[in-house]
Amino acid sequence: MAITSFEQLIGASKQHVQIAKTAAVTTTAGNWATTFAAAGFPGAGAAPANTTTGVVPTDLTTGFPVIQSFQGSNKGYLSRVEAFSPVNQTLALFDLLFWAGPTTIPTAGTTTITLGSQPSFSGRLPLRSDGVTPAWEEVEMWVWLSTAGGAQAHSFQMSYRDQDNNAAESSATVSTNGVAVNRVLRVPWNAGDYGAQLMNGYLVNGVASATGAVTAMFLRRLWAGRVEANTYKTWGPDMTGLAQVFDSSALMLMCLPESTSTSTPSLVIEIAEG
Amino acid sequence: VAITSFEKLIGARKHPIQFSKVVSPPGTLSTSLAIAGFPAAGAPPGNTTTGVVPTDATTGFPAIDAFQGSNRGYLSRVEAMSDLPVSLVLFDVLFWAGATAIPNASSTPVTLGSQPDFSGRLPLRSDGVTPAWEEVEMWVWQNSATVATGSVTINYRDQDNNAAETSAAVTVPNSNAGQLLRVPWNAGDYGARLMDGYTVSAGGNPGGQVTPMFLRRIWGARVEAKTPTIFGPELTGLPRVFDTSALMLAGFFGSLATNHTINLMAEIAEG
């Protein structure tokens, strides 16, 4: 089944999922941060504590909002978003497809994390128009400073299998020097790449006196919009684009605040199924 | 029956439900329920034994004409205006109990029994059978001004029918009346089926009352000052509304404001 017409959308069963944080994240203006570890609705989450296989988190993992199961072969779609924020910021909603970590930034040398027997996240991607191939190009590579990075010259690099199944690709290096806790950094592809099928592992390059810890993530972007301070805005299906959402999706809110705090944003996420 | 197409929506009978209030809210989310206007002022239920499922016939809530036969109702459009910028939220009050005074010392536990059922005021999950318990939110209405902080916890049965869950405490601040305070779930919960009771803890000084509530969020949006704004069905999302729904309008002005007008027309399509 699928929703293939406006009529079906109107008649579709809809559920409302909330992410409403009651604790702010202190960050830096103009940089992405996640509210995942902040208290609120749902409660605070934490890094997966797995550096051997990695984990495909679901809606039942602590910190993610629960999504009711879809009936039969129904598919889910992001049909509407209501957002409120006490401060000016851009909000973005992601499905967290896969993650591994946290890994402490070493005080000497490089910590190499090699994953094996990784669980598959392909079922959490929409299919390309051939109806068969997962849309690997929707995967984005990010790193979460699950503990603040100290002011030293340390860095992070991801190893992955690319969208065309070429193994052993290596990302460019991302500096984690002085990055505040709960900030998230996008990891650049190796030249020519634009998606990933597998996280092979990652490197954490240390330096003397380094502090901090990182968690490597594959994310799928579902929606983004700007909210002005104390403003409650709604994006209908013409604006969400009816992105496909799964009843196991691990929905994570990211914030791009225009000052040093995310404050306490909230989202009502409408998922239509049919 | 149900409205399952745009054609049916166009042809549906529509009910205009009006709110018009002059408010002086605190600088946080607050309810207009106890303020005179249209509808007239409401009050806490005056019940701390069973709790109450308020309806559109309860004083303070706007009347909704009964739907015909098996027709269903949907929030199809909202017209809203305010003379100051405000974020407005429309709730259905599913269940409430109180008011209970914030004690001068120690705690006041309230245990409810034989509670009336509010499940008929929830839409069903896509299985067509199970009430969408996850749409229930726990709130406390600070229905009279306080002079010192207190706190409230709610005891409830969760979305999975686990009994004897206890919320985290929500602080009732020293502030004016009207404020709505959201109550955090016990870890892992995201909905509720029953309010077992609640505990109101000391404020250190006499004064202040609270009314715990189960609310269902229907709609919310920002309205700029002196800018009547219309939200069509693509923005309301056509959430279910019942002809017994106890619709309550809340607003967040973001700063202290006195004597400001908010008007809202909620259109309910039936079919």
Side-chain angles (χ1 to χ4, degrees):
Chain A
M1 296 274 292
I3 293 178
T4 57
S5 72
F6 190 61
E7 307 308 309
Q8 277 188 299
L9 176 61
I10 288 179
S13 176
K14 308 199 177 64
Q15 59 179 295
H16 300 94
V17 174
Q18 289 193 22
I19 300 177
K21 293 298 183 177
T22 54
V25 171
T26 300
T27 179
T28 50
N31 290 294
W32 287 106
T34 177
T35 60
F36 181 69
F41 308 87
N50 184 311
T51 54
T52 54
T53 63
V55 174
V56 176
T58 72
D59 64 316
L60 299 180
T61 303
T62 299
F64 298 101
V66 174
I67 301 171
Q68 299 303 316
S69 297
F70 303 153
Q71 296 301 301
S73 59
N74 280 356
K75 294 180 177 176
Y77 303 87
L78 183 67
S79 53
R80 203 165 54 89
V81 174
E82 295 178 10
F84 175 81
S85 172
V87 298
N88 290 331
Q89 62 183 329
T90 296
L91 302 175
L93 187 66
F94 288 88
D95 185 0
L96 178 47
L97 303 173
F98 182 91
W99 59 352
T103 297
T104 300
I105 301 171
T107 53
T110 294
T111 300
T112 301
I113 301 296
T114 302
L115 303 175
S117 303
Q118 299 94 321
S120 171
F121 59 85
S122 62
R124 289 260 288 281
L125 289 171
L127 300 178
R128 290 181 184 161
S129 56
D130 64 6
V132 177
T133 312
W136 303 113
E137 61 276 14
E138 297 207 12
V139 177
E140 301 178 9
M141 301 192 299
W142 291 74
V143 58
W144 168 30
L145 272 292
S146 40
T147 303
Q152 304 91 24
H154 39 77
S155 63
F156 173 89
Q157 186 177 30
M158 193 99 77
S159 171
Y160 63 98
R161 183 172 298 191
D162 76 8
Q163 72 285 339
D164 297 323
N165 212 25
N166 296 311
E169 300 281 357
S170 291
S171 77
T173 297
V174 176
S175 171
T176 47
N177 183 344
V179 177
V181 63
N182 290 318
R183 270 190 57 195
V184 285
L185 308 168
R186 189 154 181 196
V187 180
W189 300 112
N190 192 10
D193 288 347
Y194 56 92
Q197 300 194 7
L198 188 76
M199 187 188 293
N200 296 324
Y202 54 91
L203 307 178
V204 185
N205 303 306
V207 66
S209 303
T211 56
V214 294
T215 296
M217 305 193 293
F218 280 177
L219 300 176
R220 176 176 166 240
R221 186 182 304 248
L222 299 177
W223 165 88
R226 182 175 187 269
V227 186
E228 291 75 36
N230 297 320
T231 296
Y232 198 135
K233 293 174 74 172
T234 303
W235 289 260
D238 53 326
M239 306 296 279
T240 67
L242 294 171
Q244 192 173 352
V245 180
F246 300 85
D247 55 8
S248 56
S249 285
L251 300 178
M252 176 182 270
L253 175 62
M254 301 280 200
C255 299
L256 186 68
E258 295 166 23
S259 59
T260 56
S261 173
T262 65
S263 190
T264 52
S266 60
L267 288 187
V268 177
I269 302 154
E270 181 185 275
I271 299 172
E273 77 170 90
Chain B
V1 299
I3 293 178
T4 55
S5 72
F6 193 60
E7 310 307 317
K8 280 196 193 182
L9 178 61
I10 288 175
R13 155 95 171 100
K14 316 277 193 328
H15 304 247
I17 307 296
Q18 290 203 20
F19 293 86
S20 181
K21 303 265 183 168
V22 177
V23 299
S24 299
T28 52
L29 185 67
S30 57
T31 174
S32 66
L33 181 68
I35 296 168
F38 306 89
N47 182 311
T48 54
T49 55
T50 64
V52 173
V53 176
T55 71
D56 65 317
T58 303
T59 299
F61 299 101
I64 303 172
D65 286 343
F67 302 154
Q68 297 301 301
S70 59
N71 280 356
R72 296 178 179 180
Y74 303 85
L75 182 69
S76 52
R77 201 164 58 88
V78 174
E79 296 177 6
M81 68 81 60
S82 166
D83 69 343
L84 279 183
V86 62
S87 289
L88 296 171
V89 186
L90 195 61
F91 291 102
D92 186 358
V93 182
L94 303 173
F95 182 91
W96 58 356
T100 297
I102 299 173
N104 192 21
S106 190
S107 296
T108 303
V110 173
T111 302
L112 304 175
S114 302
Q115 299 94 322
D117 179 29
F118 62 84
S119 63
R121 288 261 287 282
L122 290 171
L124 300 179
R125 290 181 185 163
S126 57
D127 63 7
V129 177
T130 311
W133 303 113
E134 61 277 10
E135 297 214 3
V136 177
E137 301 177 8
M138 300 194 298
W139 291 78
V140 167
W141 170 26
Q142 187 177 351
N143 60 277
S144 71
T146 55
V147 293
T149 59
S151 66
V152 178
T153 58
I154 293 180
N155 306 311
Y156 63 98
R157 184 168 297 192
D158 74 10
Q159 72 286 339
D160 297 323
N161 213 26
N162 296 311
E165 301 282 359
T166 301
S167 76
V170 66
T171 299
V172 181
N174 172 8
S175 79
N176 298 327
Q179 187 163 203
L180 290 172
L181 305 160
R182 190 157 181 194
V183 180
W185 299 112
N186 191 10
D189 289 346
Y190 56 92
R193 297 183 176 206
L194 187 78
M195 187 186 293
D196 294 317
Y198 55 93
T199 300
V200 184
S201 296
N205 276 305
Q209 291 183 340
V210 292
T211 300
M213 307 195 291
F214 281 177
L215 302 179
R216 176 178 165 240
R217 186 183 302 247
I218 305 285
W219 169 88
R222 161 96 165 182
V223 181
E224 303 304 329
K226 303 177 180 65
T227 307
T229 306
I230 298 174
F231 305 84
E234 81 283 12
L235 294 175
T236 69
L238 295 170
R240 286 285 304 278
V241 179
F242 300 84
D243 55 9
T244 53
S245 284
L247 298 178
M248 180 178 78
L249 180 62
F252 178 54
F253 282 83
S255 61
L256 291 171
T258 55
N259 296 325
H260 290 286
T261 298
I262 51 175
N263 287 335
L264 183 138
M265 188 283 289
E267 179 188 271
I268 300 173
E270 157 189 358

